Amino acid sequence: MAAAQALETTPLFPKPDHESFDGCDDSQAEDPRLPLYRFLEAKTPAGRRYEHFTIFLISISVVTFILSSLFLPEYNDSPIADKCGGFCDAIFFGNYDDNALAWLGIGATSVVEMFVVAIFSVDYGLRFYTADLLDPKYSGLVGRLRFVPSFFSLVDLASTVPFYVDSFLLPNTDLAASTFLRMFRLLRMLKVEGRLDLAIMMVDDVFVETRGILGTALFVGATVWCVLSTFYYIAERQNLSMIYCGSSQRCQDIDTSLCEIDQWGIVDCSAAGCKSDAGVEECYNLYRSIVTSSYWTLINLFGEFPLFDQHSAWGKVVGTVTCVFAAAVFALPVGIFATGFEDQISKRRKLRTSIDGDLIESHHKPGEAPELIGDEPTSASHAKFEIINNHMIVICALAFALDTVSGLGSWHFFLGFLQFISALFFTAEYLLLMYSARNDQRYRGMGLLTYACSFLRLVDVLSIAPYWLSLMAMSPSLFAKAFLLLRILRFEKYSRAFTTFDDVIREHAGVLAITLFSAILVWIFFASILYFTERGNPDEEMAYNYRTIPDSMWITLLNLSGECPLGHYSVVGKVLIGVIGLFATAIFGVPIGLLGAGFEEMVEEAIEDTPDEERTALPHASVTGLGATERACYEFVNGIGSKAARWFEISIYLLIGVTVTIGIVQTVEGHETWLSSVESLAVVVFTAEYAIRLVGAGADPEFASSNGFVSRVRFFLSFYSVIDLLAIVPYYLAVALPGSWVDDHDGYFRMLRLMRLLKLDKHVPSISLIDDVARLKRNVLMVAGYAAGTLWILFNAAMYVVESDDNSQEIDPLPLYGCVDNCTMAVRFKTFFSSFPLTGIHLTGDFPLIEYGWPGRFVLFFMVIAAVGVVSIPSGVIASGFAEIVQSKSGVQTSSSKAAGDDWYDIRWKELEGVEPPPSRFGPRVDALQFKAKEYLDGTQVDGVVVRTKASAVGRLLFVSLIVANVLAVILESIPEIDYIVGNERGNAFDAFEAWSVFFFSLDYALRLFSAQKSRDALYSPWVYSQTFFGIVDLLSILPWYIEAVLASSGKLSGDEARVFRVFRIFRILQLEDFVVAFSRLDNVYRASKGVLKATGLMALIIWIGSSALFFIFESDNPNFRECDGSVPLIGEGGSLGCYDFESTAACNAVYPGMCSQTVFTNMPSTLFYVAVFLGGEWGVVDFTWRGKIVCIFLCVAGIALYSIPVGTLFDSFGAVIGLVEEEDEEEDDEEK
């Protein structure tokens, strides 16, 4: 109640009331310092002007700090670094102590900095002098001492005192931190209009409302992180591809495959030419310990995979699990914080609306543009003109796109002529519109200026003016031609999509102001810190990307948007990247999310009166006069009427899974004939099934006809029939025609077997529901699709224009694109069409490419800020529509209560409420011992509160300490240096600690089994306890030790295998579940969402495996991903072929045995990992063939959203089960009351 009252009195965006109470009571009214106080607090006109002046000074100070990093040649190797001499440095930056102000003898400083410090020093002195007028608690000497550690006092001191220390106490030292502290002056801006109070109160409210579940979510995230870090450590600790030498200047380019990793995990690269000196490890494995593994695992859990193509086979398995499930679970804490913050914003907005009265409407309704002359057809001739105009827009856009393709000869002149005619047409239309506008009384006189400044007329001017200005130079530039594409925005008058942006900004103006300011503050703050921590990084790539603060701001912008394109940070940098991923991204994403969500909300409101089209089921033909054979065949293959039929149907499902698995494994080199006999048998079975379905087609309502032949023809031409034939016919052709074209392309036809997965859609509809989704969300998709498509085209044109001539950023060879040496970003963006998939990837929020020049970074900045949220709307609409369709067809809804997914255990547990435990068959003495054991382990419930004896409380504390100590022991033992000191001999310190731990864990397990008969949580049964989550975890915490002991005593356990057993002790962290309930509800999570999971899971599986098959077929021989031995020429000469000249890697190896290899898409199992990463929104590689680019575009448009539905369903159900939506439901109930 108190929190609610506080909320009610907190305005969304407080504005200063200059006539209201200002902190001074009546006794202070005559205080001569009062005018000064009012001036400092901006409560007078002069004071407000002074406040604006201080904001200007802060901005100048921050800008000069950022720009000063450009003029440090020791870090920035660009030509601009030497452009600011001693006088320039003395005026603005103060980088060097020998500049024009050296005569002052106060070290490196500048005029700007001295002036700003002087102003703020005087300002602080005056504020200190009037502090008691701000708050009586600051009265007197003691009060002034209380004022010093207040927030804004510390901000002022932090931004001024270091200057005096650096200048007068330590004038001959280089205190980089003193310049960085200028950043804190930004916090002074929080004084304006009470932003600090609002921000702090909102964060406090978020914490108060979510504290009950935030601890649970943090435990879930931390446990997933810890366990996955351990699995990654096991999988990658001996992986030579994970050896990193970037921190050593003399070993950065060695062949790590020649290195060795000893039993301790220490790397020796002497054979590769990098010998360690004085025992210092020049190179090391990135997963050498659980500690180092945890950093890379954390990045993976953020959805980023910077080591995408270096993982081992088992590492890819762990990575796939991370992509599919773990990342969503790990995101719970961040999701809770971001959602809570947005909820607080929404509540304050609603409260302010209710207090102010009716909602203040925008100058026009959402999605409704002001009526303008010439925008709506008024006659038949006008309608025809509009059609011509629309066609000209499309023709102009196509002409521009085709004109970017080289090698079209004389067609370039024709395409240029089309663009000229289009510009001429658009100009004539604009002039006629302006001329005819005077016929409308609203636009006469100065009203004509209003008309000229309307959205569509500004689009007209911006689209044609640059073209004609450029044409005056006798040759229209590419830049000017690109502006003609802005005419696409003329279609806005049909969709009213972009006009809603104005409404969104107005609706969320106050919120956007504070969240944008906070986001910018976080951005500059982290960029500045990372600049200082990474500019001297021994890794050349890291140091290059952080050589200036503007460069650091570019990478930090990507970090804050959820990206992590770089990974080899310093220790401090790794900590900062972790903080950014865990917390800062939630803050930074709020304004972007608000723009996207607000746009979607207003689009839906604008068209809510137009109902979405619903699918009307087509009536099935009447099935009459059937023969017994037809009906029997139909019922048998569809599992109807008998156990044999049901078992046949189940066997078909299992056989589909088996054959898909076989098809995947057979793509691995050396396993081409793996289980071929099973595949042959499966083809026979599927052939028989097809024949039975063909015979029974007349009984299928979908194909029924009075003519049996017609029914069979309908079935033969149906979708599922084609799938069946594609999966079995190539097999017979290859057998019947050995050495034929079909046999030569056996690898491709093997992939057709994977299409058998689509057969499951007949029984669990998923892919076939896409048309239903399109009908359900038709109206929203049209508007949002137009907005997203327009932004995609315009940003693609912008990226093409700025990057097609960018030859400053060097990249790896791209032979498929015609570049082997000295390749630059211009190769990737050489045409409008080649730019399209790359722009699409960026618009999904992923930035695998960072080697952009400043114009490209400028365009991408606006992608991150405005476009990403809008472009993702169609994908979100498709996903939500699919979930609605599946739920409606399955007749279930995902539950949003803590009772979601209750099973027999939960039901039985509720039934036992108030039931006394059964007596022991061994007598009352055993009963008493069981009660004592239960009381010691779990305490006693008194009025719903657990009461413990001192012994129980101490035992519980010791048990928690033992669990934590065991987890720490596993982590410490994984560190090579510690493991080397302790040694691997039996009975070492770790072994002794483990033995004692197992003794206590075994004793605890035995006591729980013994007392289970008195525990309601065990349903008064030791057998039930052993099957519960807690029982299984307790057993797993001790079982590996006993297995290891047995195997070790028999001599069947090697050192590395023993390490795996010891590492499995990490699962003891799950025993903390007894203190924070979360994972034990996973079975409830599945049951709460299984109705939707069946369909969405199958669809996700089809998209995943299908996309993987296509990428494998299209990209397995892509020369862009091919590497060859140094002795193999890249391009052949004199009739000989080079590495990139072969059509396939196999052909390359035929000429150069064992010297050619593909880095990615080498087989289906590895491709499944890569595509799982793609579907998680992370594109580790992007230089695809044109066919691969089509698959890439599909995934960007819809595949990623559809694939994420089951993960999102699990996420929502997990939240419901552990209570993430409980408070929201209660609030809704209160509102209804």
Side-chain angles (χ1 to χ4, degrees):
M1 182 63 70
Q5 290 175 348
L7 179 62
E8 292 174 0
T9 58
T10 305
L12 173 64
F13 194 64
K15 295 182 179 180
D17 184 358
H18 304 298
E19 304 300 327
S20 63
F21 176 72
D22 58 13
C24 303
D25 56 31
D26 295 337
S27 62
Q28 297 171 326
E30 302 302 324
D31 195 311
R33 297 173 300 159
L34 189 57
L36 176 61
Y37 167 78
R38 290 179 177 274
F39 173 82
L40 293 173
E41 294 299 319
K43 298 182 181 297
T44 64
R48 289 191 287 278
R49 287 192 292 272
Y50 172 72
E51 182 181 60
H52 295 156
F53 174 67
T54 58
I55 292 174
F56 172 75
L57 287 182
I58 293 170
S59 302
I60 290 295
S61 178
V62 172
V63 169
T64 56
F65 167 70
I66 292 173
L67 295 180
S68 67
S69 64
L70 296 174
F71 305 102
L72 292 172
E74 57 265 41
Y75 299 110
N76 184 18
D77 57 359
S78 64
I80 196 176
D82 297 318
K83 299 300 183 181
C84 185
F87 182 76
C88 168
D89 186 66
I91 295 295
F92 298 106
F93 308 122
N95 283 328
Y96 302 103
D97 55 9
D98 59 349
N99 61 25
L101 295 177
W103 58 274
L104 293 175
I106 60 173
T109 190
S110 67
V111 172
V112 169
E113 179 64 7
M114 288 191 297
F115 180 73
V116 172
V117 168
I119 295 295
F120 287 141
S121 297
V122 173
D123 180 272
Y124 182 78
L126 295 176
R127 291 183 184 276
F128 186 84
Y129 173 61
T130 60
D132 57 317
L133 297 180
L134 177 66
D135 194 316
K137 69 180 181 181
Y138 298 141
S139 299
L141 178 60
V142 175
R144 292 299 194 278
L145 294 177
R146 290 196 191 101
F147 173 76
V148 171
S150 63
F151 179 80
F152 285 116
S153 172
L154 291 177
V155 168
D156 290 337
L157 292 174
S159 58
T160 56
V161 170
F163 170 83
Y164 296 107
V165 174
D166 199 11
S167 299
F168 300 106
L169 298 180
L170 302 170
N172 298 319
T173 59
D174 180 19
L175 295 181
S178 66
T179 57
F180 164 72
L181 289 173
R182 300 182 202 175
M183 292 296 96
F184 286 104
R185 292 171 188 165
L186 281 171
L187 297 175
R188 286 177 56 96
M189 291 186 179
L190 289 171
K191 286 185 177 181
V192 180
E193 298 181 341
R195 291 186 180 125
L196 176 68
D197 296 335
L198 176 59
I200 292 176
M201 184 165 290
M202 290 178 68
V203 171
D204 178 68
D205 289 341
V206 170
F207 175 76
V208 168
E209 291 197 0
T210 61
R211 68 183 186 277
I213 55 174
L214 195 57
T216 299
L218 287 172
F219 170 68
V220 171
T223 302
V224 169
W225 180 22
C226 189
V227 171
L228 281 177
S229 298
T230 303
F231 277 117
Y232 265 126
Y233 163 71
I234 295 173
E236 304 292 356
R237 60 182 298 273
Q238 295 292 325
N239 184 0
L240 297 179
S241 297
M242 288 296 178
I243 295 177
Y244 173 67
C245 302
S247 58
S248 174
Q249 294 295 329
R250 61 188 183 87
C251 302
Q252 290 191 359
D253 298 322
I254 67 171
D255 183 2
T256 58
S257 64
L258 301 176
C259 300
E260 296 179 352
I261 303 177
D262 65 17
Q263 60 177 324
W264 317 105
I266 297 175
V267 174
D268 180 10
C269 290
S270 300
C274 181
K275 186 176 181 180
S276 301
D277 295 331
V280 177
E281 197 177 16
E282 294 286 344
C283 302
Y284 59 90
N285 187 297
L286 295 173
Y287 290 85
R288 68 198 301 265
S289 70
I290 296 177
V291 177
T292 57
S293 173
S294 65
Y295 166 70
W296 297 103
T297 305
L298 183 65
I299 291 179
N300 292 166
L301 287 168
F302 294 155
E304 297 299 299
F305 288 79
L307 306 177
F308 174 81
D309 56 350
Q310 296 174 230
H311 285 288
S312 64
W314 282 111
K316 290 174 182 175
V317 172
V318 179
T320 302
V321 173
T322 303
C323 294
V324 172
F325 177 71
V329 176
F330 183 79
L332 275 171
V334 178
I336 291 170
F337 179 81
T339 303
F341 194 77
E342 292 180 0
D343 286 345
Q344 286 298 317
I345 290 172
S346 177
K347 289 177 183 178
R348 281 172 166 74
R349 181 159 53 89
K350 290 178 181 178
L351 280 172
R352 187 176 180 186
T353 300
S354 64
I355 292 172
D356 292 343
D358 296 334
L359 178 65
I360 299 174
E361 296 181 355
S362 302
H363 61 287
H364 56 272
K365 295 180 181 179
E368 180 182 338
E371 183 182 353
L372 297 177
I373 187 170
D375 289 332
E376 298 294 338
T378 57
S379 64
S381 59
H382 189 184
K384 293 179 181 179
F385 180 81
E386 280 295 300
I387 294 174
I388 297 173
N389 188 20
N390 294 341
H391 280 82
M392 289 298 295
I393 293 173
V394 174
I395 290 171
C396 181
L398 290 175
F400 173 83
L402 292 172
D403 199 23
T404 65
V405 180
S406 60
L408 296 181
S410 59
W411 282 99
H412 285 291
F413 174 79
F414 175 71
L415 294 171
F417 179 72
L418 280 179
Q419 293 174 77
F420 172 78
I421 294 298
S422 299
L424 199 63
F425 181 87
F426 299 150
T427 304
E429 183 210 17
Y430 176 74
L431 294 175
L432 289 173
L433 285 171
M434 294 298 297
Y435 175 76
S436 61
R438 294 178 301 173
N439 294 327
D440 191 318
Q441 187 174 359
R442 295 174 298 171
Y443 304 129
R444 293 175 182 173
M446 293 302 296
L448 187 63
L449 180 62
T450 302
Y451 179 72
C453 293
S454 63
F455 176 75
L456 293 180
R457 297 297 79 81
L458 288 176
V459 167
D460 291 339
V461 172
L462 289 174
S463 64
I464 58 178
Y467 182 86
W468 294 118
L469 291 174
S470 178
L471 191 63
M472 293 178 183
M474 301 304 293
S475 178
S477 67
L478 180 65
F479 180 78
K481 290 179 179 179
F483 272 90
L484 290 172
L485 294 182
L486 287 175
R487 290 286 295 190
I488 295 174
L489 292 172
R490 284 292 301 271
F491 292 121
E492 164 72 8
K493 60 187 176 184
Y494 303 111
S495 67
R496 309 302 188 194
F498 288 98
T499 49
T500 61
F501 266 117
D502 179 63
D503 299 279
V504 172
I505 293 173
R506 288 173 181 270
E507 179 73 12
H508 300 89
V511 176
L512 285 174
I514 184 172
T515 54
L516 280 173
F517 177 80
S518 300
I520 292 172
L521 186 63
V522 169
W523 179 27
I524 296 176
F525 181 79
F526 278 104
S528 301
I529 299 180
L530 285 169
Y531 163 71
F532 283 109
T533 62
E534 305 305 319
R535 64 180 182 178
N537 194 311
D539 186 293
E540 293 181 359
E541 182 184 19
M542 295 297 300
Y544 177 80
N545 282 286
Y546 286 93
R547 64 189 186 276
T548 69
I549 294 180
D551 286 300
S552 177
M553 291 178 69
W554 161 240
I555 301 297
T556 306
L557 175 69
L558 301 184
N559 294 153
L560 289 167
S561 67
E563 292 299 297
C564 192
L566 304 173
H568 299 294
Y569 289 90
S570 62
V571 175
V572 177
K574 289 177 179 177
V575 173
L576 291 172
I577 291 298
V579 172
I580 288 174
L582 288 172
F583 303 107
T585 49
I587 298 173
F588 190 80
V590 168
I592 298 174
L594 282 174
L595 284 174
F599 180 84
E600 182 177 9
E601 179 184 354
M602 288 197 170
V603 166
E604 290 179 344
E605 288 178 357
I607 61 177
E608 64 182 358
D609 295 331
T610 306
D612 290 319
E613 180 181 343
E614 295 183 1
R615 181 178 182 180
T616 303
L618 296 175
H620 291 299
S622 176
V623 183
T624 59
L626 293 174
T629 303
E630 288 180 297
R631 184 174 297 280
C633 289
Y634 169 73
E635 291 179 349
F636 181 75
V637 293
N638 287 282
I640 302 172
S642 67
K643 288 185 178 181
R646 286 193 292 272
W647 278 109
F648 178 78
E649 187 179 41
I650 293 172
S651 66
I652 291 296
Y653 295 162
L654 295 176
L655 198 56
I656 289 173
V658 170
T659 55
V660 167
T661 303
I662 292 173
I664 292 172
V665 174
Q666 285 183 344
T667 63
V668 180
E669 186 177 0
H671 294 77
E672 291 81 0
T673 59
W674 186 70
L675 295 181
S676 294
S677 57
V678 175
E679 171 62 23
S680 301
L681 175 63
V683 171
V684 173
V685 173
F686 289 136
T687 304
E689 184 214 12
Y690 183 82
I692 297 173
R693 287 190 181 278
L694 183 63
V695 172
D700 191 332
E702 188 175 352
F703 312 114
S705 172
S706 57
N707 188 320
F709 176 76
V710 173
S711 298
R712 289 170 177 79
V713 170
R714 288 178 178 176
F715 170 76
F716 180 79
L717 299 176
S718 67
F719 174 77
Y720 296 109
S721 172
V722 172
I723 295 299
D724 286 337
L725 293 174
L726 287 175
I728 59 178
V729 170
Y731 176 86
Y732 291 111
L733 291 176
V735 172
L737 303 171
S740 64
W741 180 85
V742 175
D743 199 24
D744 292 339
H745 293 80
D746 179 61
Y748 294 102
F749 285 106
R750 283 181 184 180
M751 292 297 98
L752 290 176
R753 303 173 192 171
L754 303 182
M755 297 184 69
R756 292 169 184 163
L757 279 173
L758 293 174
K759 288 166 61 69
L760 298 177
D761 185 81
K762 186 176 181 64
H763 306 279
V764 183
S766 55
I767 296 294
S768 57
L769 297 181
I770 295 296
D771 60 331
D772 299 80
V773 175
R775 290 185 178 92
L776 178 67
K777 297 292 183 180
R778 177 176 58 88
N779 292 327
V780 178
L781 278 176
M782 288 178 61
V783 177
Y786 163 72
T790 300
L791 287 174
W792 196 342
I793 291 172
L794 295 180
F795 274 110
N796 184 64
M799 289 302 297
Y800 165 71
V801 169
V802 299
E803 291 297 326
S804 59
D805 292 326
D806 182 8
N807 295 308
S808 61
Q809 307 295 324
E810 295 185 4
I811 61 175
D812 293 332
L814 297 174
L816 184 66
Y817 303 160
C819 182
V820 176
D821 296 315
N822 301 318
C823 301
T824 63
M825 289 295 283
V827 177
R828 287 188 172 117
F829 289 86
K830 63 181 178 181
T831 71
F832 181 89
F833 298 103
S834 64
S835 307
F836 206 72
L838 300 177
T839 305
I841 288 172
H842 291 329
L843 286 171
T844 64
D846 190 53
F847 293 84
L849 306 177
I850 60 174
E851 305 92 350
Y852 290 106
W854 284 109
R857 295 180 183 183
F858 180 76
V859 174
L860 290 171
F861 170 80
F862 287 99
M863 277 197 201
V864 173
I865 297 301
V868 172
V870 175
V871 172
S872 65
I873 291 174
S875 298
V877 170
I878 293 172
S880 64
F882 197 95
E884 289 179 30
I885 289 289
V886 171
Q887 289 173 356
S888 64
K889 286 183 175 292
S890 62
V892 298
Q893 299 289 331
T894 53
S895 178
S896 60
S897 70
K898 294 179 74 172
D902 282 356
D903 65 347
W904 65 270
Y905 173 86
D906 304 280
I907 296 171
R908 180 59 179 156
W909 187 88
K910 293 175 183 177
E911 291 175 350
L912 290 176
E913 184 175 0
V915 177
E916 292 295 325
S920 172
R921 60 180 177 176
F922 298 106
R925 180 172 296 181
V926 175
D927 273 331
L929 291 174
Q930 287 177 331
F931 276 118
K932 286 184 178 181
K934 174 69 172 62
E935 182 181 9
Y936 171 78
L937 293 171
D938 301 326
T940 305
Q941 288 277 350
V942 178
D943 296 330
V945 179
V946 177
V947 178
R948 294 181 177 275
T949 63
K950 288 186 178 180
S952 175
V954 172
R956 183 179 175 87
L957 178 61
L958 292 176
F959 191 74
V960 172
S961 302
L962 187 61
I963 294 172
V964 174
N966 270 262
V967 173
L968 291 176
V970 173
I971 294 173
L972 292 174
E973 192 176 6
S974 72
I975 300 174
E977 291 79 6
I978 295 178
D979 195 26
Y980 178 80
I981 294 173
V982 175
N984 280 338
E985 295 79 10
R986 300 290 296 178
N988 60 51
F990 284 120
D991 286 347
F993 175 72
E994 171 66 3
W996 278 104
S997 298
V998 169
F999 170 76
F1000 287 111
F1001 287 133
S1002 300
L1003 180 62
D1004 178 83
Y1005 183 65
L1007 287 175
R1008 291 191 179 279
L1009 279 173
F1010 175 70
S1011 63
Q1013 199 173 11
K1014 300 298 183 288
S1015 173
R1016 182 186 171 197
D1017 291 335
L1019 304 186
Y1020 303 138
S1021 168
W1023 173 245
V1024 171
Y1025 164 73
S1026 67
Q1027 299 175 71
T1028 62
F1029 176 86
F1030 296 107
I1032 294 172
V1033 167
D1034 289 342
L1035 182 61
L1036 287 177
S1037 68
I1038 58 176
L1039 189 60
W1041 186 87
Y1042 290 108
I1043 296 175
E1044 179 188 358
V1046 172
L1047 293 176
S1049 62
S1050 62
K1052 297 181 180 179
L1053 194 66
S1054 66
D1056 207 52
E1057 292 169 343
R1059 180 183 298 275
V1060 173
F1061 274 102
R1062 293 196 297 271
V1063 164
F1064 267 92
R1065 290 175 292 177
I1066 199 70
F1067 281 106
R1068 289 174 185 166
I1069 193 175
L1070 292 174
Q1071 290 183 297
L1072 293 174
E1073 174 81 5
D1074 186 36
F1075 307 91
V1076 182
V1077 177
F1079 287 100
S1080 57
R1081 307 288 287 180
L1082 285 179
D1083 56 340
N1084 301 65
V1085 171
Y1086 169 73
R1087 281 187 294 276
S1089 55
K1090 66 179 180 181
V1092 178
L1093 277 179
K1094 287 181 180 178
T1096 57
L1098 175 61
M1099 182 190 60
L1101 184 66
I1102 291 172
I1103 290 175
W1104 180 26
I1105 295 180
S1107 300
S1108 298
L1110 292 175
F1111 271 120
F1112 174 67
I1113 293 171
F1114 299 153
E1115 306 300 324
S1116 58
D1117 290 313
N1118 186 340
N1120 288 343
F1121 308 136
R1122 185 180 302 160
E1123 291 183 349
C1124 295
D1125 186 80
S1127 61
V1128 179
L1130 298 180
I1131 300 295
E1133 296 180 357
S1136 64
L1137 297 177
C1139 178
Y1140 299 139
D1141 297 326
F1142 295 95
E1143 291 186 1
S1144 68
T1145 305
C1148 181
N1149 277 316
V1151 177
Y1152 303 100
M1155 297 184 182
C1156 311
S1157 62
Q1158 290 291 115
T1159 57
V1160 291
F1161 305 114
T1162 55
N1163 53 55
M1164 271 298 292
S1166 65
T1167 304
L1168 284 169
F1169 163 68
Y1170 300 138
V1171 176
V1173 175
F1174 296 163
L1175 289 168
E1178 169 68 5
W1179 293 86
V1181 291
V1182 295
D1183 299 310
F1184 304 119
T1185 61
W1186 67 267
R1187 294 174 297 178
K1189 288 180 178 180
I1190 293 175
V1191 181
C1192 169
I1193 290 173
F1194 162 74
L1195 294 184
C1196 291
V1197 171
I1200 293 175
L1202 293 174
Y1203 177 80
S1204 65
I1205 294 175
V1207 177
T1209 302
L1210 282 173
F1211 183 93
D1212 293 339
S1213 297
F1214 191 87
V1217 168
I1218 67 173
L1220 296 185
V1221 296
E1222 183 181 19
E1223 295 181 4
E1224 181 179 342
D1225 293 338
E1226 292 176 354
E1227 290 169 4
E1228 291 177 357
D1229 293 340
D1230 292 340
E1231 290 178 4
E1232 292 175 0
K1233 293 177 182 179

